[in-house]
Coordinates of all heavy atoms in Angstrom, one line a residue:
Chain B
F91 N 93.6 57.7 106.7 CA 93.9 59.1 106.8 C 95.3 59.3 106.2 O 95.6 60.3 105.6 CB 93.8 59.6 108.2 CG 92.4 60.1 108.5 CD1 91.4 59.3 108.6 CD2 92.2 61.5 108.7 CE1 90.1 59.8 108.9 CE2 90.9 62.0 109.0 CZ 89.9 61.1 109.1
I92 N 96.3 58.4 106.6 CA 97.6 58.5 106.1 C 97.7 58.5 104.6 O 98.3 59.3 103.9 CB 98.5 57.4 106.7 CG1 98.7 57.7 108.2 CG2 99.9 57.4 106.0 CD1 99.3 56.5 109.0
E93 N 96.9 57.5 104.0 CA 96.9 57.3 102.6 C 96.3 58.5 101.9 O 96.8 58.9 100.8 CB 96.2 56.1 102.2 CG 97.0 54.8 102.4 CD 96.1 53.5 102.4 OE1 94.9 53.6 101.9 OE2 96.5 52.5 103.0
E94 N 95.3 59.1 102.4 CA 94.6 60.2 101.8 C 95.4 61.6 102.1 O 95.0 62.6 101.5 CB 93.2 60.4 102.2 CG 92.3 59.2 101.8 CD 92.2 59.1 100.3 OE1 92.1 60.2 99.6 OE2 92.3 58.0 99.7
G95 N 96.4 61.5 103.0 CA 97.0 62.8 103.4 C 96.0 63.8 104.0 O 96.0 65.0 103.6
A96 N 95.2 63.2 104.8 CA 94.0 64.0 105.3 C 94.3 64.9 106.5 O 93.7 64.8 107.5 CB 92.8 63.1 105.6
A97 N 95.3 65.8 106.3 CA 95.6 66.7 107.4 C 96.4 67.9 106.8 O 97.2 67.7 105.8 CB 96.4 66.1 108.5
Q98 N 96.4 69.0 107.4 CA 97.3 70.1 107.1 C 98.1 70.4 108.4 O 99.1 69.7 108.6 CB 96.6 71.3 106.5 CG 96.2 71.1 105.1 CD 95.3 72.2 104.5 OE1 95.8 73.3 104.4 NE2 94.1 71.8 104.1
C99 N 97.6 71.2 109.3 CA 98.3 71.3 110.6 C 98.2 70.1 111.5 O 99.0 69.8 112.3 CB 97.9 72.6 111.3 SG 96.4 72.5 112.2
G100 N 97.0 69.5 111.4 CA 96.8 68.2 112.1 C 96.2 68.4 113.5 O 96.0 67.4 114.2
F101 N 96.0 69.6 114.0 CA 95.7 69.9 115.4 C 94.3 69.2 115.7 O 94.1 68.8 116.8 CB 95.6 71.4 115.6 CG 95.7 71.7 117.1 CD1 97.0 71.8 117.7 CD2 94.6 72.0 117.9 CE1 97.1 72.2 119.0 CE2 94.7 72.3 119.2 CZ 96.0 72.4 119.8
C102 N 93.4 69.1 114.7 CA 92.0 68.7 115.0 C 91.8 67.2 114.9 O 90.7 66.7 115.1 CB 91.1 69.4 113.9 SG 91.5 68.7 112.3
L103 N 92.9 66.5 114.6 CA 92.7 65.1 114.2 C 92.0 64.2 115.3 O 91.3 63.2 114.9 CB 94.0 64.5 113.8 CG 94.5 64.9 112.4 CD1 95.9 64.5 112.2 CD2 93.6 64.4 111.3
S104 N 92.2 64.4 116.6 CA 91.6 63.6 117.6 C 90.0 63.7 117.4 O 89.3 62.7 117.4 CB 91.9 64.0 119.0 OG 93.2 63.6 119.3
G105 N 89.6 64.9 117.1 CA 88.1 65.1 116.9 C 87.6 64.4 115.7 O 86.6 63.7 115.7
V106 N 88.4 64.5 114.6 CA 87.9 63.9 113.4 C 87.9 62.4 113.4 O 86.9 61.7 113.1 CB 88.7 64.5 112.2 CG1 88.1 64.0 110.9 CG2 88.8 66.0 112.2

Side-chain angles (χ1 to χ4, degrees):
Chain B
F91 270 70
I92 290 168
E93 284 164 17
E94 293 298 320
Q98 289 173 60
C99 80
F101 200 85
C102 67
L103 285 169
S104 284
V106 184

